[in-house]
Amino acid sequence: MSTTAFVSPDDIRTLFAQAMSSMYRTEVPLYGTLVDLVAEINDAVLTDNPALAEQLDRNDERARLAQERHGAIRVGTAAELAILGRLFAVMGMHPVGYYDLSVAGVPVHSTAFRPRTAAALAHNPFRVFTSLLRLELIEDPALREQAAQILARRHIFTDECLHLIDVAERDGGLEETDARRFVLAALETFRWHSDATVSLDTYHALSKAHRLIADVVSFRGPHINHLTPRTLDIDAAQAGMLARGIDAKAVVEGPPPRRCPILLRQTSFKALEEEVNFPEDGRSDVGTHTARFGEIEQRGLALTPKGRALYDQLLNQARDAGGAGSTGGDYTTRLATAFAAFPDDHDTLRREGLGYYRYALTEAGRADRGAVGDLPAEALIAAGLATADPIVYEDFLPVSAAGIFQSNLGGEEQRAYAAHANREAFEQALGLKVEDEFGIYQRLQDESLASLHR
């Protein structure tokens, strides 16, 4: 029997997230500014709100806050996506949720690779929003075929990375030396390269079809296009970016400010215009490309299907009131007006089944198990014997993701696609089933409820 000690997937994920953050800070110095800004804001929020600090401590969330990140990448082929699924599995990251961004004018569909259990999320919640290009949405048949041929020729993974994925799958894990080699090898897939793989003319043709198509097809690999720290006050972060002269997007994506934050709010600074060398007959033409940007997020309560349906209804109401889903003009006012219909206290959210909560006995409840007995959770909460804290939303919102993408690909939406959701095709490309996020939150809530009476 082997006595090899494997490094846990959670620890490999932490090593990878730290390496990614270090690399991206070097590549995009403004990212470091965002990380420092978020740290300042979070410290201030926790100092001013001891109850929130206590809640985070109670749920093992405070330690993860400083290291929490999500990244985003875009790949071009089913083969690339399938290997990414295997790569992320080595780090304990699994595909959760299916997102069709084509409905918002972005020719991709996506999932989020992330940890799923309470323990893994507390250890490190690093997640990567991963999009697959929809080549079938390129209308020009010749350009579509040319893009497919370009993508078929590239190799986005190093030989060592592929070898170590095989080792992890064969042996059931990686020992320490191989784990560290794997992190460095995997990092190469996400690195920025200023040398394109297509001519400037081809790049312009791809950009005309959609800027995101050019971003995916024109380079050696799926460079990380943003790495996002989590703030406890995104409005303060937005103001902080503007105060530092950072070109922030005009609208914070997601729900309006609330006493009880829900789902996900996101903002970003505009994408960098970066110099790129385009090959042309043995020489290089110099052009520019915009794709990589800085993003900040605030995460709130994970909503149940009932809560999510209400959220979607109110969001559409606010956007449609401005005409054709507009986020211009008085959108902030329209959003706040629409969301007045969404309860904004945790007791109501919980009792109406709009959100998921994590239940735990208080010190008094643990000291007097006789009083706990078989009482239901609401009775225990009323008696001060249990607490119910919001379960953090770990996933993404397709409208918000598309809004972030569009604002950093040249501003206005370049075109609109009809709905092209095709989860079956995405899962076939990935080679895995995509897990339903609602099921994960329900399981976390059910486990916590069961713990009250153990």
Side-chain angles (χ1 to χ4, degrees), residues 201-261:
D201 285 345
T202 299
Y203 172 82
H204 286 318
L206 293 167
S207 294
K208 186 176 180 180
H210 198 291
R211 286 177 182 258
L212 185 141
I213 296 172
D215 180 62
V216 175
V217 177
S218 303
F219 296 90
R220 287 168 52 186
H223 40 259
I224 191 82
N225 58 67
H226 63 270
L227 202 58
T228 305
R230 175 184 166 195
T231 183
L232 297 173
D233 187 343
I234 200 164
D235 299 295
Q238 178 88 336
M241 282 199 289
L242 295 173
R244 287 163 171 77
I246 298 173
D247 187 14
K249 73 187 302 292
V251 175
V252 175
E253 299 285 349
R258 294 167 45 88
R259 291 190 302 274
C260 301

Side-chain angles (χ1 to χ4, degrees), residues 38 47 116 167 240 250-251 272 358:
V38 166
T47 298
R116 298 173 297 188
V167 170
V251 175
L272 308 174
R358 178 176 287 108

Side-chain angles (χ1 to χ4, degrees), residues 126-173:
F126 182 63
R127 48 185 94 75
V128 178
F129 189 81
T130 303
S131 300
L132 175 64
L133 180 63
R134 309 287 298 275
L135 281 176
E136 72 273 16
L137 299 182
I138 299 177
E139 291 183 346
D140 182 339
L143 185 64
R144 182 167 62 244
E145 177 59 26
Q146 183 181 20
Q149 291 178 3
I150 293 167
L151 290 169
R153 291 195 296 266
R154 75 177 187 178
H155 301 280
I156 69 172
F157 305 98
T158 67
D159 290 343
E160 181 166 43
C161 181
L162 295 173
H163 167 68
L164 290 169
I165 292 171
D166 287 340
V167 170
E169 292 173 342
R170 181 195 68 204
D171 297 345

Side-chain angles (χ1 to χ4, degrees), residues 255-445:
R258 294 167 45 88
R259 291 190 302 274
C260 301
I262 58 174
L263 297 176
L264 177 64
R265 302 183 71 209
Q266 297 170 287
T267 189
S268 69
F269 65 71
K270 298 296 181 65
L272 308 174
E273 186 170 349
E274 302 181 85
E275 189 172 285
V276 174
N277 299 311
F278 295 90
E280 185 67 44
D281 296 330
R283 57 180 177 81
S284 290
D285 286 337
V286 177
T288 61
H289 178 67
T290 57
R292 299 189 303 157
F293 55 93
E295 183 181 77
I296 297 174
E297 66 185 17
Q298 180 177 355
R299 291 185 173 272
L301 171 69
L303 299 183
T304 62
K306 178 182 177 182
R308 182 57 185 273
L310 178 58
Y311 169 83
D312 289 341
Q313 173 192 331
L314 298 178
L315 181 67
N316 289 335
Q317 179 181 317
R319 296 171 73 93
D320 292 346
S326 170
T327 57
D330 61 345
Y331 177 67
T332 300
T333 301
R334 285 185 275 123
L335 192 66
T337 299
F339 272 83
F342 203 111
D344 199 11
D345 68 275
H346 284 299
D347 284 344
T348 303
L349 289 165
R350 189 177 71 249
R351 289 169 183 162
E352 292 190 4
L354 296 173
Y356 293 103
Y357 287 83
R358 178 176 287 108
Y359 297 84
L361 294 177
T362 62
E363 185 175 340
R366 293 191 297 273
D368 190 355
R369 298 305 294 254
V372 171
D374 294 327
L375 289 176
E378 289 299 326
L380 293 174
I381 293 169
L385 299 174
T387 56
D389 292 328
I391 292 178
V392 175
Y393 185 64
E394 305 286 352
D395 297 290
F396 297 90
L397 302 171
V399 172
S400 296
I404 293 285
F405 280 12
Q406 291 290 4
S407 70
N408 290 289
L409 288 166
E412 294 301 316
E413 187 174 296
Q414 294 187 354
R415 59 159 300 151
Y417 299 97
H420 282 283
N422 194 337
R423 180 172 181 151
E424 182 179 354
F426 186 87
E427 291 179 334
Q428 184 176 5
L430 176 62
L432 296 168
K433 289 291 185 182
V434 172
E435 189 162 353
D436 173 53
E437 62 269 32
F438 293 113
I440 295 176
Y441 296 122
Q442 186 67 55
R443 183 168 66 246
L444 293 174
Q445 178 173 280

